[in-house]
């Protein structure tokens, strides 16, 4: 009889599962919109702030740091004078943002009806 | 020359757009998990509460009412003694929950690697 698999199974329903923590991060108010904005391409902080109507500088920075630690966003410092900072999605970030975009499209269509 | 379209265009980036309000509702912590749980079928309140590990009775009720007013969930009162209450996704709710499920699958896979 095959050995019972002891592979780790992630489950967003389980409050202590790491996937629940990242799911909460990704679906939080400003992080979800920052992901959608970054789906439109590599972006500088102030451009992101203008795109995500209503976000404060503090909340945007905080959420970008969370998304970076979750491996969904990378922060690039461009070596020019003065230094320039740009944000970009990682491949995993693009996959996540793609599902959020599909969700937003459904809601935008439903609301516009 | 064609008349410029004056059709209403919804945009989740715009803070005052109705789609932003529903996007915020759907991606909020407990509502998103309740939608995922209801994707598994018509469910009673206590079963939902057990499925969404960590949610309080008050938060679950509050989020279900929000999802009902957004047209994503329906509350059915079964005419038996004692009366039974069940919750179910609407077609729009199923479409939204499907995208949240795809998002959760990506994160569960990434975390389990």
């Amino acid at each position: 009889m095959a050995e019972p698999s002891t592979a780790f199974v992630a489950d967003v329903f389980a409050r202590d599962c790491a996937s629940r923590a990242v799911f909460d991060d990704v679906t939080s108010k400003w992080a979800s919109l920052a992901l959608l904005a970054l789906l439109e391409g590599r972006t500088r902080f102030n451009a992101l702030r203008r795109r995500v109507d209503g976000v404060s500088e503090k909340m945007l920075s905080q959420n970008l740091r969370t998304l970076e630690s979750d491996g969904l966003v990378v922060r690039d410092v461009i070596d020019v004078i003065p230094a320039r900072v740009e944000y970009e999605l990682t491949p995993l970030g693009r996959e996540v943002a793609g599902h959020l975009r599909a969700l937003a499209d459904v809601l935008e269509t439903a609301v516009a009806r």
Side-chain angles (χ1 to χ4, degrees), chain A:
Chain A
M1 208 177 74
E3 276 293 304
S5 153
T6 54
F8 166 68
V9 177
D11 175 11
V12 291
F13 284 116
R15 79 175 88 183
D16 299 326
C17 181
S19 62
R20 163 80 78 93
V22 184
F23 186 75
D24 286 349
D25 289 346
V26 160
T27 54
S28 67
K29 183 177 175 73
W30 299 118
S32 50
L33 291 166
L35 285 164
L36 287 186
L38 286 168
L39 197 56
E40 298 169 350
R42 203 181 163 90
T43 317
R44 292 165 68 173
F45 185 86
N46 285 333
L48 259 179
R49 212 181 142 207
R50 283 192 301 272
R51 187 70 176 115
V52 181
D53 185 24
V55 69
S56 69
E57 195 159 319
K58 186 184 160 214
M59 284 311 288
L60 183 56
S61 311
Q62 196 177 301
N63 278 272
L64 287 171
R65 271 198 304 277
T66 301
L67 292 172
E68 261 186 275
S69 64
D70 287 337
L72 302 172
V73 166
V74 283
R75 182 174 182 275
D76 303 318
V77 180
I78 316 296
D79 195 10
V80 290
I81 311 282
R84 226 173 52 219
V85 174
E86 293 182 348
Y87 292 87
E88 197 175 5
L89 292 174
T90 63
L92 179 60
R94 235 186 324 281
E95 201 177 353
V96 165
H99 291 300
L100 286 170
R101 183 64 261 171
L103 172 61
D105 289 345
V106 167
L107 298 177
E108 286 175 349
T109 307
V111 159
R113 253 186 237 131

Coordinates of all heavy atoms in Angstrom, one line a residue, chain A residues 3 9-10 46 50 60 62 67 75-76 78 91 101 113:
Chain A
E3 N 2.6 4.7 0.7 CA 2.8 5.5 1.9 C 1.8 6.7 1.8 O 1.7 7.3 0.8 CB 4.2 6.0 2.0 CG 5.3 5.1 2.5 CD 5.0 4.8 4.0 OE1 4.9 5.8 4.8 OE2 4.7 3.7 4.4
V9 N -0.1 20.4 2.4 CA -1.3 20.9 1.5 C -1.7 22.2 2.1 O -2.1 22.4 3.2 CB -2.4 19.9 1.6 CG1 -3.6 20.4 0.8 CG2 -2.0 18.5 1.1
A10 N -1.6 23.3 1.2 CA -2.0 24.6 1.6 C -3.5 24.8 1.5 O -4.2 24.1 0.7 CB -1.3 25.6 0.7
N46 N 4.9 57.6 -7.7 CA 3.9 58.7 -7.8 C 2.9 58.4 -8.9 O 1.7 58.7 -8.8 CB 4.6 60.0 -8.1 CG 5.3 60.5 -6.8 OD1 4.8 60.2 -5.7 ND2 6.3 61.3 -6.9
R50 N -1.1 58.1 -8.3 CA -2.1 58.8 -9.1 C -3.2 57.8 -9.6 O -4.4 58.0 -9.6 CB -1.5 59.5 -10.2 CG -0.8 60.9 -9.8 CD -0.5 61.7 -11.0 NE 0.4 61.0 -11.9 CZ 1.8 61.1 -11.8 NH1 2.3 61.7 -10.8 NH2 2.5 60.4 -12.7
L60 N 0.3 53.2 0.5 CA 0.8 52.6 -0.7 C 2.2 52.0 -0.4 O 2.5 50.9 -0.8 CB 0.9 53.7 -1.8 CG 1.4 53.1 -3.2 CD1 0.5 52.0 -3.7 CD2 1.5 54.3 -4.2
Q62 N 3.4 51.0 2.4 CA 3.2 49.8 3.3 C 2.8 48.6 2.5 O 3.3 47.5 2.7 CB 2.2 50.2 4.4 CG 2.1 49.4 5.6 CD 1.0 49.9 6.5 OE1 1.1 51.1 7.0 NE2 0.0 49.1 6.8
L67 N 3.7 43.4 -0.5 CA 3.7 42.6 -1.8 C 5.1 42.2 -2.1 O 5.3 41.1 -2.7 CB 3.1 43.5 -2.9 CG 1.6 43.8 -2.7 CD1 1.1 44.8 -3.7 CD2 0.7 42.5 -2.8
R75 N 11.1 45.9 -6.4 CA 11.4 47.3 -6.4 C 12.7 47.5 -7.1 O 13.8 47.0 -6.6 CB 11.4 47.7 -4.9 CG 11.7 49.2 -4.7 CD 11.5 49.4 -3.1 NE 11.7 50.8 -2.8 CZ 12.9 51.4 -2.6 NH1 14.0 50.7 -2.7 NH2 12.9 52.7 -2.3
D76 N 12.8 48.2 -8.2 CA 14.0 48.5 -8.9 C 14.5 49.9 -8.7 O 13.7 50.8 -8.9 CB 13.8 48.3 -10.4 CG 13.3 46.9 -10.7 OD1 13.7 45.9 -10.1 OD2 12.3 46.8 -11.6
I78 N 16.8 52.6 -10.1 CA 17.5 52.9 -11.4 C 18.7 53.9 -11.1 O 18.5 54.9 -10.4 CB 16.5 53.6 -12.4 CG1 15.2 52.9 -12.4 CG2 17.2 53.7 -13.8 CD1 15.2 51.5 -12.9
P91 N 6.7 37.2 -11.9 CA 5.7 36.3 -12.6 C 4.5 35.8 -11.8 O 3.4 35.9 -12.2 CB 6.7 35.1 -13.0 CG 8.0 35.7 -13.1 CD 8.1 36.8 -12.1
R101 N -7.8 41.1 -12.0 CA -8.3 41.9 -13.2 C -9.5 41.3 -13.7 O -10.5 42.0 -14.0 CB -7.2 42.0 -14.2 CG -7.5 42.8 -15.5 CD -7.7 44.3 -15.2 NE -9.0 44.7 -15.1 CZ -9.4 45.9 -14.7 NH1 -8.5 46.8 -14.3 NH2 -10.7 46.2 -14.7
R113 N -24.2 47.7 -16.3 CA -25.4 47.2 -16.9 C -26.6 48.1 -16.6 O -26.8 48.6 -15.5 CB -25.8 45.8 -16.5 CG -25.5 44.8 -17.6 CD -25.9 43.4 -17.2 NE -24.7 42.5 -17.3 CZ -24.4 41.6 -16.3 NH1 -25.1 41.6 -15.2 NH2 -23.3 40.8 -16.5

